[in-house]
Amino acid sequence: MSYTAEELQNLAVFYKNQLLNNTVPFWFPRSIDQEHGGYLLMRDRDGSLIDDDKAVWIQGRAAWLLSTLCNTIEHKKEWLDGAKSGIDFLNNHCFDTDGQMFFHVTHDGQPIRKRRYYFSETFAVIANAAYAQASGDETAAEKARYLFGKCIEYATTPGLLPAKFTGTRPAKGIGVPMIMMNTAQQLRETIGDPRCDEWISKWIEEIKNDFVKDDIHCVMEQVAPDGSIIDHIDGRTLNPGHAIEGAWFILHEAKYRNNDPELIKLGCKMLDYMWERGWDKEYGGILYFKDVYNKPVQEYWQDMKLWWPQNETIIATLLAYTLTGDEKYARWHKMVHDYAYDKFHDKEHGEWFGYLHRDGTVAQTAKGNLFKGPFHLPRQEWYCAKLLEELGFSAES
């Protein structure tokens, strides 16, 4: 199948309507913490609060979302003020004395947990950069660029951060080049930074050379430092949704570079490999974990359906279709879109459930926790609406 112009128009309207009239209103303004700043995002299906702790990742992501809505949809004071609340909370409460960021803090910003990597920092980069664009705040712009430099330093300096594992079986994950690539893309497209293009190219090359395995049609989640497969249970574990997210980051870069054919080929190849491995042919949806050699997976939640892999696959398939015109991607996009909005979307209270059993029944009702908040779903709806709008399909109903 291929999409007609009318169907693409309807999709543009659908995504923007879902974003502005369903997803964003679930979170805001009620999640803005009027007492301490930042956001109270751990919420049940009806929006009631289940915990007032704060995940630093999600604080940054929510500030990015509100700033991005200001930058690309409408410069609303409530969105800008909400974004500032998150930026101020991040900068005032989420940095340790050594300059690293925490992962988990209390309602009023007291530290609970710090992790051995710097993804809190990457989300603070995109939040500060988007907020700087929306507000003109030069301090936020300087913070974004400084933190981006720190992330590059963390990524390229062995031993700078404490190791999680011993040196017995060294490994590296696709998460670092992926998240750093998208962080650089966001920084470049909001306030700009001369380092971005060169580093994006380096991270794409690393993914292409070390993680994409053409001989077995696979994108690895982790590999040995030389790119070889680690034939142990952790080393064999694939995360299809994560690899598909990386695929659309590369397709986005292809689009940015005037539809670069080599990057389109690489991104589509990654999507193809991991759709084949990740799509559940019996029940639909993208499975959470698979083994590269189809052996049993260690994680007991391996066959669950989580919200975010569906979001990333909706973006990837639509972007691949608009870049290539290949009817396969239109078919896949319709499959994952229809599945996700049927199974995950809460018709009564809005937003999406986060966790389904393999058969599509709801495993638990939380809409927000330390890992889920206003990011993957609203980013998907925003990105798809803007993509279609750029192609001439108005997102206005």
Side-chain angles (χ1 to χ4, degrees):
M1 63 159 282
S2 60
Y3 279 126
T4 65
E6 182 180 7
E7 287 171 328
L8 291 173
Q9 172 68 43
N10 290 341
L11 278 174
V13 171
F14 175 83
Y15 286 131
K16 189 170 184 180
N17 179 65
Q18 286 293 122
L19 174 69
L20 297 182
N21 298 318
N22 191 286
T23 302
V24 171
F26 178 86
W27 297 105
F28 303 110
R30 68 177 159 203
S31 294
I32 297 173
D33 183 351
Q34 301 296 342
E35 182 179 5
H36 297 292
Y39 316 105
L40 296 167
L41 297 168
M42 296 206 215
R43 297 185 177 273
D44 205 348
R45 68 168 299 193
D46 62 356
S48 59
L49 205 61
I50 58 177
D51 195 320
D52 65 5
D53 282 354
K54 294 170 179 173
V56 176
W57 284 19
I58 318 294
Q59 299 295 303
R61 289 169 163 187
W64 170 85
L65 173 65
L66 291 169
S67 300
T68 298
L69 295 176
C70 277
N71 290 330
T72 61
I73 294 180
E74 183 180 352
H75 206 275
K76 283 188 179 181
K77 184 178 186 300
E78 65 192 82
W79 286 342
L80 189 64
D81 290 348
K84 185 178 189 303
S85 181
I87 294 294
D88 288 347
F89 186 83
L90 284 171
N91 292 334
N92 293 335
H93 298 290
C94 297
F95 286 86
D96 200 352
T97 54
D98 62 2
Q100 286 180 248
M101 295 187 76
F102 296 109
F103 170 75
H104 179 187
V105 298
T106 64
H107 183 195
D108 58 355
Q110 297 176 65
I112 294 175
R113 184 180 176 193
K114 189 174 172 182
R115 301 187 95 173
R116 297 177 182 86
Y117 46 77
Y118 44 92
F119 294 163
S120 291
E121 282 84 346
T122 64
F123 299 124
V125 171
I126 65 172
N128 276 283
Y131 178 72
Q133 183 186 26
S135 65
D137 185 334
E138 188 55 37
T139 300
E142 291 173 4
K143 188 80 168 183
R145 294 190 181 103
Y146 169 77
L147 287 174
F148 181 61
K150 290 301 292 183
C151 290
I152 293 173
E153 187 180 351
Y154 292 143
T156 57
T157 311
L160 190 59
L161 296 176
K164 186 174 183 178
F165 297 99
T166 70
T168 301
R169 189 179 292 149
K172 63 178 184 176
I174 197 172
V176 167
M178 260 183 60
I179 291 180
M180 290 297 291
M181 171 173 45
N182 188 247
T183 300
Q185 289 172 329
Q186 294 290 325
L187 179 62
R188 180 183 63 192
E189 293 166 30
T190 48
I191 58 173
D193 188 291
R195 296 169 290 185
C196 292
D197 287 349
E198 178 184 357
W199 278 103
I200 288 169
S201 294
K202 288 180 180 178
W203 288 315
I204 290 174
E205 281 302 301
E206 182 179 4
I207 291 170
K208 175 184 173 183
N209 293 334
D210 292 346
F211 293 91
V212 178
K213 305 300 182 189
D214 293 327
D215 55 335
I216 55 172
H217 287 200
C218 186
V219 182
M220 301 302 298
E221 184 67 14
Q222 62 171 286
V223 292
D226 65 357
S228 59
I229 294 175
I230 302 169
D231 193 2
H232 291 273
I233 198 161
D234 288 334
R236 293 195 306 264
T237 300
L238 308 176
N239 188 328
H242 204 216
I244 289 171
E245 184 180 15
W248 83 251
F249 292 167
I250 289 171
L251 290 173
H252 178 83
E253 191 63 21
K255 181 170 171 285
Y256 178 84
R257 298 185 188 184
N258 298 312
N259 297 347
D260 182 300
E262 289 304 310
L263 291 184
I264 292 174
K265 180 181 177 182
L266 175 61
C268 287
K269 184 165 62 176
M270 292 171 65
L271 172 57
D272 291 351
Y273 292 169
M274 300 315 283
W275 175 279
E276 182 58 34
R277 287 179 177 267
W279 181 258
D280 186 339
K281 296 177 178 63
E282 182 176 358
Y283 292 105
I286 298 293
L287 293 159
Y288 200 39
F289 291 121
K290 297 280 287 183
D291 183 275
V292 66
Y293 300 132
N294 294 314
K295 296 178 180 180
V297 175
Q298 179 166 261
E299 282 75 9
Y300 57 82
W301 57 94
Q302 47 87 26
D303 65 350
M304 287 181 69
K305 310 291 169 55
L306 273 65
W307 83 104
W308 65 265
Q310 325 308 319
N311 297 137
E312 307 314 323
T313 307
I314 288 171
I315 295 175
T317 50
L318 184 63
L319 187 50
Y321 175 67
T322 60
L323 286 171
T324 68
D326 188 332
E327 295 182 0
K328 170 181 69 178
Y329 297 124
R331 184 173 72 254
W332 288 357
H333 177 264
K334 180 171 173 50
M335 288 167 68
V336 67
H337 170 101
D338 289 353
Y339 170 84
Y341 279 95
D342 177 52
K343 301 295 186 184
F344 282 90
H345 180 228
D346 183 352
K347 279 69 172 177
E348 182 179 359
H349 296 289
E351 240 277 352
W352 280 20
F353 298 111
Y355 307 90
L356 307 184
H357 297 296
R358 185 184 172 198
D359 65 1
T361 56
V362 176
Q364 57 119 314
T365 58
K367 301 279 180 63
N369 54 32
L370 283 176
F371 297 95
K372 186 181 186 298
F375 184 63
H376 289 279
L377 173 60
R379 181 176 72 169
Q380 171 236 298
E381 291 170 341
W382 166 79
Y383 189 95
C384 290
K386 296 302 290 183
L387 173 64
L388 292 167
E389 197 169 19
E390 289 169 6
L391 293 171
F393 300 102
S394 173
E396 304 301 326
S397 56

